[in-house]
Amino acid sequence: MTTAAATSTDAPATAGFGRHLLRLYLARFVFAVLWAGLLFVVAPAGGLVLTALLVIYPLFDAAAVGWQLRSPHREPGSPIAEQINVAVSVIVAIALGVSVTFSAAAALAVWGLWAIGSGLPQLIAAIRNRRSGGQVPQMLSGGISVLAGSAFFAQGLAGSEAIGGVGGYAILGGVFFLLSAIRLALLLRKSAA
């Protein structure tokens, strides 16, 4: 949700990988908005639907990063940051499913740890993929994820049951994916001209 920035003259390193990322970013935006809308509705009642929503989000994240890793157009380089992101997301899905049975505060603390643990690899991957274009929002997203995760973790430890707040976090992450998609689409159009 941050170090090197793509400039307006950057062109995607490979058009195939750029188109792959464009589809991925649009899918992640749509998912985040729909998921957050559902969360806002069900969070006050809790129960199995809330548990399912909390588990689904990190599993979707893991699947999206895994899809990116399997791209035949993926840029060369170590996939370790993305592999860590996938592993952390799967572990967190399980931890969220367990923690929400104890309390919303426990789930909020787990969500915070996940936001930190997934934000760092996202930041690293975005910096590494910056030549593909559209990565500045992903760099910002990774950095913000670390900060927001720290706040969620602290709130959970303090006993806050305001789990609906993670919906706003998801929407913000979705907006960053949309911004990346727009930026990448512009770069792809420019490189095709």
Side-chain angles (χ1 to χ4, degrees):
M1 293 210 192
T2 30
T3 358
T7 65
S8 59
T9 59
D10 288 343
T14 65
F17 188 60
R19 285 190 298 275
H20 184 81
L21 285 177
L22 178 62
R23 287 189 301 273
L24 177 66
Y25 292 164
L26 289 173
R28 292 191 75 165
F29 164 72
V30 170
F31 175 81
V33 171
L34 293 175
W35 181 89
L38 286 172
L39 182 74
F40 291 140
V41 171
V42 303
L48 289 177
V49 177
L50 175 62
T51 301
L53 281 174
L54 290 175
V55 169
I56 287 169
Y57 195 92
L59 289 178
F60 182 84
D61 183 71
V65 175
W67 187 56
Q68 181 177 330
L69 278 169
R70 289 187 303 275
S71 170
H73 305 291
R74 188 180 184 285
E75 290 186 356
S78 175
I80 292 173
E82 291 99 328
Q83 290 169 340
I84 290 170
N85 192 327
V86 170
V88 167
S89 293
V90 170
I91 291 167
V92 166
I94 295 165
L96 281 168
V98 172
S99 65
V100 77
T101 63
F102 293 105
S103 70
L108 190 59
V110 169
W111 189 281
L113 289 175
W114 174 55
I116 294 167
S118 64
L120 284 173
Q122 179 185 15
L123 175 61
I124 293 165
I127 291 169
R128 192 185 68 240
N129 292 330
R130 68 187 177 276
R131 289 190 328 237
S132 294
Q135 295 301 304
V136 172
Q138 293 307 300
M139 292 177 203
L140 292 172
S141 177
I144 290 170
S145 186
V146 170
L147 295 174
S150 299
F152 289 139
F153 182 69
Q155 290 170 359
L157 290 181
S160 172
E161 301 251 333
I163 195 76
V166 300
Y169 166 82
I171 289 174
L172 180 59
V175 167
F176 278 116
F177 280 115
L178 178 61
L179 291 173
S180 289
I182 291 168
R183 173 86 170 117
L184 194 50
L186 292 173
L187 287 172
L188 287 168
R189 182 176 295 160
K190 182 178 178 180
S191 70

